[in-house]
């Protein structure tokens, strides 16, 4: 690939009045809004079964389903998510980040429309399958696009907006299902995809993807739209071009016989270590039961608080509201707190909450005296949602878009997101069996033990990525966490390099 230098262009011609009117931060937020709303549709898909199944199982329902059919309706959405992640990673590398989002928005809208018009069990499964596939499609492109179009100072909070949108989508789905029939709720969900599609139409393509394809003029135009026209941004873009040319030159030399360059980029430490780290992170997050509450909210509420206590629909909405507020808090924490301390605090709190809930539920079901204190179970459950929501849930999605090198970002994000949804399907499908075998208290105990083991493993392998450019993160994985920490200490006080750097040079490299 040869990057041709474009002819000199008049800055006054490039900088339109429309772009001048909004700050670079506002334009970055606009670019991130499309993926964030698409992620909200993923949350709606996750929460839809909690309002769909009770309505289908009501005595007066036109469609009667068995327990096995209910399990398949709940798990049909997670089933194709893994395939969707692989396709999403392939689409964003082949067609571009923006085009991938436009396609998945159409797919989402079709799935919701199929659900809204479903009149039989197979049609419901078809709608759930399409929306589940779309959930997988949105996973890799959303985090990668936001990471490649945002400044390092704002990358964490914008990436956390994805998980905030997922939590908000679950709440919206439950609200729609509380006040409307499930067909109307599905139709309302489809309207969000129109908004997401229009937002992506006015947003630029990722400068990193354009530059990797040798389209320097288009890449510069996109970068200027996102980051502004000041001298610092000009210097930053020139550094990006230099970095791309250096990578291309190294690759060419490697093909001619260089030992390092001849090895596949997928065998290098900077790809393998992020892959292993995120696989552990996603497994810990899913097998701590984070989506069980969303999928089986009403059934869990009946068991946890008792059928004669607080209305289970009201309790479900309380839990949803807590999840949304927690996701908002996570956005703020990711702006000010490092990834490692947040992950450790979240893992420890999740473990304590799950084990505590398990123990209390055991006494509640065994000793009649404790049945009058069923509201304490709700407190434990809310504590669990708070702790899992501030770290274990948002962090792996945030890191998916920032830990892989640009050359392997599509496959890496696709593989890890795909693995997440494989675990997602396994947890949702085995949940009812686990409840029936060891009871709800035993199920929470199993999830608590897994959370503990995963947190201990993450303590060993999870690096810190807060406020670091994408190139610095890549170098950190290449060296190893200990060596990178030693290098930071050698650089100077506070771990800052004594060599001047342009802010955010590697944000999109």
């Amino acid at each position: 690939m040869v990057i041709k230098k474009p002819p000199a262009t008049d800055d006054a011609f490039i900088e339109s009045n429309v772009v001048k009117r909004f700050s670079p931060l506002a334009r970055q937020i606009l670019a991130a809004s499309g993926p964030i709303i698409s992620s909200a549709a993923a949350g709606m898909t996750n929460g839809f079964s909690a309002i769909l199944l009770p309505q289908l199982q009501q005595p007066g329902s036109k469609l009667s389903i068995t327990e096995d059919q209910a399990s398949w309706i709940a798990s049909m959405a997670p089933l194709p998510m893994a395939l969707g992640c692989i396709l999403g990673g392939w689409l964003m590398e082949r067609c571009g980040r923006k085009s991938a989002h436009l396609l998945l928005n159409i797919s989402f809208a079709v799935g919701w429309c199929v659900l809204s018009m479903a009149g039989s069990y197979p049609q419901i499964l078809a709608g759930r399958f399409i929306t589940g596939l779309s959930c997988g499609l949105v996973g890799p492109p959303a985090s990668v696009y936001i990471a490649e179009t945002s400044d390092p100072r704002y990358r964490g909070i914008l990436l956390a907006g994805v998980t905030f949108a997922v939590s908000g989508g679950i709440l919206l789905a439950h609200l729609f299902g509380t006040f409307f029939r499930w067909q109307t709720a599905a139709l309302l969900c489809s309207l969000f995809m129109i908004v997401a599609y229009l937002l992506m139409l006015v947003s630029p393509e990722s400068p990193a993807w354009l530059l990797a394809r040798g389209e320097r003029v288009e890449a510069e135009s996109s970068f200027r739209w996102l980051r502004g026209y000041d001298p610092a941004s000009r210097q930053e873009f020139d550094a990006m071009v230099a970095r791309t040319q250096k990578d291309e030159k190294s690759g060419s030399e490697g093909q001619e016989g260089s030992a390092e360059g001849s090895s596949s980029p997928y065998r290098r430490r900077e790809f393998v270590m992020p892959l292993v780290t995120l696989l552990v992170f996603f497994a810990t997050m899913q097998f701590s039961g984070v989506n069980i509450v969303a999928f089986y909210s009403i059934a869990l509420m009946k068991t946890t608080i008792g059928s004669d206590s607080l209305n289970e629909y009201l309790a479900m909405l309380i839990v949803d509201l807590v999840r949304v507020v927690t996701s908002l808090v996570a956005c703020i924490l990711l702006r000010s707190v490092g990834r490692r301390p947040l992950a450790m605090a979240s893992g420890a709190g999740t473990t304590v909450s799950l084990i505590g809930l398990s123990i209390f539920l055991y006494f509640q079901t065994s000793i009649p005296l404790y049945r009058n204190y069923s509201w304490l179970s709700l407190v434990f459950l809310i504590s669990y949602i708070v702790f899992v929501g501030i770290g274990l849930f948002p962090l792996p999605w945030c890191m998916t878009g920032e830990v892989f090198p640009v050359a392997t970002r599509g496959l890496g994000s696709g593989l890890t997101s795909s693995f997440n949804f494989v675990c997602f399907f396994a947890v949702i499908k085995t949940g009812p069996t686990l409840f029936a075998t060891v009871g709800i208290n035993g199920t929470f105990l199993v999830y608590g033990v897994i959370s503990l083991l995963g947190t201990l493993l993450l303590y060993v392998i999870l690096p810190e990525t807060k406020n670091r450019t994408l190139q610095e993160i890549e170098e950190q994985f290449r060296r190893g966490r200990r060596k990178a920490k030693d290098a930071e200490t050698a650089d100077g006080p506070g771990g800052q390099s004594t060599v001047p750097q342009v802010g955010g040079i590697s944000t999109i490299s």
Side-chain angles (χ1 to χ4, degrees):
M1 180 189 71
V2 178
I3 299 179
K4 297 180 180 180
K5 186 176 181 180
T9 311
D10 185 10
D11 288 346
F13 174 76
I14 296 177
E15 189 173 7
S16 66
N17 291 328
V18 176
V19 175
K20 279 183 178 180
R21 195 173 303 162
F22 301 99
S23 67
L25 175 59
R27 297 196 291 270
Q28 292 172 44
I29 293 174
L30 175 63
S33 298
I36 287 175
I37 293 179
S38 299
S39 301
M44 295 175 192
T45 302
N46 294 345
F48 195 73
S49 64
I51 56 101
L52 172 62
L53 297 181
Q55 291 190 20
L56 290 177
Q57 293 171 334
Q58 286 177 353
S61 176
K62 295 180 180 179
L63 292 175
S64 58
I65 58 173
T66 64
E67 287 297 327
D68 184 65
Q69 288 176 329
S71 174
W72 275 110
I73 289 175
S75 57
M76 184 53 67
L79 180 62
M81 288 180 184
L83 175 62
C85 288
I86 300 297
L87 291 177
W90 178 82
L91 275 176
M92 73 176 183
E93 291 296 337
R94 182 77 175 178
C95 306
R97 283 44 163 160
K98 178 177 179 177
S99 299
H101 276 98
L102 294 175
L103 290 173
L104 68 89
N105 287 331
I106 295 174
S107 174
F108 249 135
V110 170
W112 286 118
C113 289
V114 169
L115 269 176
S116 67
M117 296 182 292
S120 64
Y121 172 68
Q123 290 175 346
I124 293 177
L125 290 183
R128 291 285 289 166
F129 185 90
I130 297 173
T131 52
L133 181 68
S134 303
C135 283
L137 288 174
V138 77
S143 57
V144 170
Y145 180 79
I146 293 175
E148 291 181 345
T149 56
S150 57
D151 188 285
R153 294 172 296 174
Y154 313 120
R155 190 175 64 227
I157 190 170
L158 290 177
L159 284 170
V162 171
T163 52
F164 172 73
V166 172
S167 300
I170 295 173
L171 173 61
L172 285 174
H174 290 171
L175 280 173
F176 293 157
T178 301
F179 297 104
F180 304 101
R181 292 293 300 170
W182 58 271
Q183 295 96 331
T184 305
L187 185 62
L188 292 174
C189 291
S190 68
L191 299 179
F192 285 82
M193 309 323 302
I194 299 176
V195 178
Y197 187 90
L198 294 177
L199 286 171
M200 286 307 304
L201 275 180
V202 300
S203 300
E205 181 55 86
S206 163
W209 184 81
L210 292 170
L211 199 58
R213 294 176 63 88
E215 301 175 7
R216 173 170 172 174
V217 177
E218 293 80 0
E220 182 172 8
S221 176
S222 175
F223 183 81
R224 301 268 185 235
W225 192 95
L226 290 162
R227 307 294 288 275
Y229 297 82
D230 56 277
S233 66
R234 181 189 300 276
Q235 187 179 5
E236 179 177 352
F237 183 78
D238 291 340
M240 285 176 54
V241 174
R243 174 67 185 182
T244 303
Q245 291 173 333
K246 181 180 178 181
D247 290 342
E248 289 296 320
K249 184 178 179 181
S250 300
S252 300
E253 292 176 352
Q255 292 177 357
E256 295 174 0
S258 171
E260 181 181 357
S262 61
S263 63
S264 170
Y266 301 105
R267 297 179 181 178
R268 297 176 185 171
R269 181 183 178 89
E270 57 267 30
F271 173 75
V272 174
M273 288 307 299
L275 182 67
V276 172
T277 301
L278 285 180
L279 291 181
V280 172
F281 217 148
F282 275 122
T284 303
M285 182 256 284
Q286 288 294 346
F287 284 99
S288 64
V290 65
N291 284 299
I292 283 290
V293 176
F295 267 65
Y296 298 102
S297 295
I298 295 178
L300 286 176
M301 289 301 123
K302 288 181 178 179
T303 305
T304 305
I305 65 177
S307 57
D308 298 330
S309 300
L310 183 64
N311 179 274
E312 61 268 14
Y313 280 91
L314 177 60
M316 178 185 67
L317 294 178
I318 292 175
V319 170
D320 290 342
L321 185 60
V322 171
R323 186 187 292 108
V324 172
V325 174
T326 302
S327 299
L328 182 60
V329 172
C331 294
I332 300 173
L333 290 176
L334 283 169
R335 183 77 172 87
S336 56
V337 181
R339 311 289 198 257
R340 276 182 57 81
L342 195 58
M344 296 304 104
S346 174
T350 298
T351 300
V352 172
S353 298
L354 284 171
I355 295 178
L357 178 59
S358 171
I359 294 173
F360 187 83
L361 283 175
Y362 173 78
F363 284 107
Q364 181 180 332
T365 54
S366 302
I367 304 176
L369 177 63
Y370 284 89
R371 293 175 185 172
N372 297 327
Y373 298 93
S374 59
W375 59 271
L376 286 175
S377 297
L378 186 61
V379 173
F380 275 110
L381 190 60
I382 291 176
S383 172
Y384 160 70
I385 293 172
V386 168
F387 279 109
V388 80
I390 63 173
L392 290 184
F393 184 52
L395 280 175
W397 287 112
C398 292
M399 298 181 70
T400 298
E402 64 182 10
V403 296
F404 291 106
V406 65
T408 58
R409 194 165 292 152
L411 180 62
S413 59
L415 285 176
T416 52
S417 301
S418 178
F419 175 78
N420 166 73
F421 288 120
V422 170
C423 297
F424 187 177
F425 173 75
V427 171
I428 297 303
K429 186 59 181 172
T430 59
T433 303
L434 203 57
F435 291 144
T437 304
V438 298
I440 188 172
N441 58 298
T443 301
F444 281 125
L445 180 61
V446 171
Y447 293 155
V449 172
I450 294 175
S451 174
L452 174 61
L453 296 177
T455 302
L456 293 176
L457 190 53
L458 286 173
Y459 178 80
V460 177
I461 64 176
L462 184 68
E464 182 57 71
T465 61
K466 178 178 178 290
N467 288 339
R468 299 189 179 183
T469 65
L470 301 187
Q471 181 56 34
E472 289 171 345
I473 296 171
E474 179 182 344
E475 187 64 26
Q476 182 179 14
F477 276 109
R478 181 183 294 115
R479 294 181 179 182
R481 190 159 62 90
R482 288 177 178 267
K483 292 182 179 179
K485 187 175 181 180
D486 293 340
E488 288 179 3
T489 305
D491 281 338
Q496 299 295 326
S497 174
T498 56
V499 180
Q501 296 182 4
V502 180
I505 286 178
S506 300
T507 304
I508 311 181
S509 65

